[in-house]
Amino acid sequence: MPAVSGLGHVGIHVNDLMAQRDFYSRVMGLKIADEDLENRGMVFFSADPESEHHEFVIVKGRTAPEDTILINQISFKVDTLAELKEFYDVFRAEKVRIDRTVSHGNAFGMYARDPEGNTIEVYYKTGFPVPQPYAEPVDFDLAEEELLASAKALIPA
């Protein structure tokens, strides 16, 4: 039986193409790989366009009412805990709605909302083999060493 080798990219419909374009490029730091703003109303984003043309696409034309929940979450990983903490500071400075910051043991995550209310997660993988599901609130103002020690303590004996 055939099997997929991984997730290639995700595309979502948006109401305000330019506001979402600004958020995902300026605030989230994704690079715009290509776009057609006038005709098709599409923006292709990539964390690394040289290795993957796009991982995320926004397209104008969302037709659901504003309060309709369409997406559970869109998750973006970072390479270091320091970067996750930087996003925490950036989100606070940009007045991005942060719903929660958690330790999953095997990762630290921050759940927030993009300009149209879609849930996004920015997360850092700790590499600790903590059984899932697990989620406890965590304070990203704590030192990295303290955060990592708390996650490491969750590894089953």
Side-chain angles (χ1 to χ4, degrees):
M1 170 171 219
V4 298
S5 62
L7 179 63
H9 56 268
V10 172
I12 64 171
H13 285 104
V14 300
N15 288 315
D16 188 333
L17 186 69
M18 296 311 288
Q20 292 288 72
R21 178 185 183 273
D22 176 66
F23 176 79
Y24 285 105
S25 61
R26 186 178 58 79
V27 177
M28 295 301 296
L30 292 171
K31 295 166 185 69
I32 297 172
D34 273 314
E35 62 186 357
D36 178 353
L37 301 176
E38 298 300 318
N39 296 313
R40 297 187 65 196
M42 302 175 77
V43 182
F44 298 87
F45 297 97
S46 180
D48 182 4
E50 289 185 24
S51 65
E52 187 69 45
H53 179 269
H54 63 280
E55 296 135 325
F56 185 57
V57 181
I58 58 173
V59 182
K60 69 180 178 184
R62 183 173 173 170
T63 58
E66 296 266 336
D67 61 346
T68 301
I69 299 172
L70 299 173
I71 298 168
N72 175 270
Q73 70 189 47
I74 304 166
S75 298
F76 299 92
K77 63 183 172 181
V78 294
D79 291 332
T80 67
L81 183 52
E83 287 176 306
L84 178 57
K85 289 169 63 85
E86 285 181 52
F87 266 110
Y88 181 65
D89 293 337
V90 167
F91 281 13
R92 290 191 297 184
E94 292 284 335
K95 298 185 177 24
V96 173
R97 178 177 147 193
I98 300 171
D99 292 332
R100 61 191 179 121
T101 55
V102 301
S103 170
H104 294 297
N106 67 351
F108 288 104
M110 175 176 55
Y111 296 84
R113 301 295 176 115
D114 77 6
E116 293 190 2
N118 298 305
T119 299
I120 59 171
E121 175 193 20
V122 181
Y123 71 99
Y124 165 72
K125 296 191 301 185
T126 65
F128 301 140
V130 176
Q132 298 300 308
Y134 178 85
E136 287 295 323
V138 68
D139 181 358
F140 284 160
D141 288 322
L142 296 173
E144 286 184 49
E145 298 78 22
E146 195 173 347
L147 290 168
L148 290 170
S150 68
K152 189 174 186 176
L154 299 169
I155 299 172

